Amino acid sequence: MSLATILAEASSRNTTLLASYRTASRRLVSRTLTGLAATAIEQRRQLGEELTALQLGLVDQGVNLDYPVFPKETLPEAGADETKAILAWFRDMEAAERDLFLALAGQPGLEGDLAARLSAWAQQARKRASVASDHLDLLSLG
């Protein structure tokens, strides 16, 4: 699969996740968690802009990577443990994105700037996954 195709898929998924994060921010009742969603929304908006710019200037490079299977891209249904389900969903989506960007960054032959950009996106996703996981842990203690 070409790098351009993978990045186009990532961009499409980012758009879907951005809309889902906005929906989640309206469903969450905790001010802390709506703040988490707002931060993720802003970071995802910026990621979308960067993905678009990268795709426009990309000299396509083939990569030896199967596109990973991602968790379901839609928010979990409302229920008794809705907040926990949304946080688990945030964590899982971000962890999958981290894995994708790390795998892409590690491809042999990528130019240094592109590999560094992919690594940075992986670290941002890792941080978002970690924050969601930390909030889940705190809810479990309560």
Side-chain angles (χ1 to χ4, degrees):
M1 184 174 270
S2 73
L3 181 58
T5 301
I6 292 173
L7 291 177
E9 289 288 328
S11 182
S12 175
R13 189 181 59 260
N14 185 65
T15 300
T16 300
L17 291 175
L18 184 57
S20 294
Y21 275 39
R22 284 185 177 127
T23 299
S25 72
R26 291 187 294 269
R27 285 173 46 187
L28 293 167
V29 293
S30 163
R31 186 177 191 114
T32 301
L33 297 180
T34 56
L36 166 66
T39 299
I41 288 167
E42 179 58 24
Q43 289 176 351
R44 287 221 161 261
R45 187 192 59 72
Q46 290 173 352
L47 175 61
E49 291 172 0
E50 292 175 17
L51 280 166
T52 298
L54 179 61
Q55 288 173 33
L56 292 175
L58 184 66
V59 174
D60 200 17
Q61 303 175 40
V63 294
N64 186 19
L65 179 72
D66 290 328
Y67 194 72
V69 175
F70 278 83
K72 186 177 171 185
E73 291 179 1
T74 56
L75 283 171
E77 296 297 320
D81 285 335
E82 180 179 31
T83 299
K84 287 182 183 179
I86 289 173
L87 284 170
W89 179 80
F90 278 179
R91 179 200 60 212
D92 295 346
M93 291 305 295
E94 296 298 345
E97 186 127 309
R98 175 204 61 220
D99 293 345
L100 170 66
F101 287 137
L102 279 178
L104 287 172
Q107 291 295 303
L110 285 185
E111 66 178 49
D113 183 48
L114 178 57
R117 184 181 293 186
L118 292 164
S119 291
W121 291 342
Q123 288 307 312
Q124 289 173 350
R126 180 196 62 77
K127 288 175 186 176
R128 288 188 301 267
S130 178
V131 169
S133 184
D134 290 347
H135 282 292
L136 270 171
D137 290 345
L138 288 172
L139 287 175
S140 296
L141 295 173

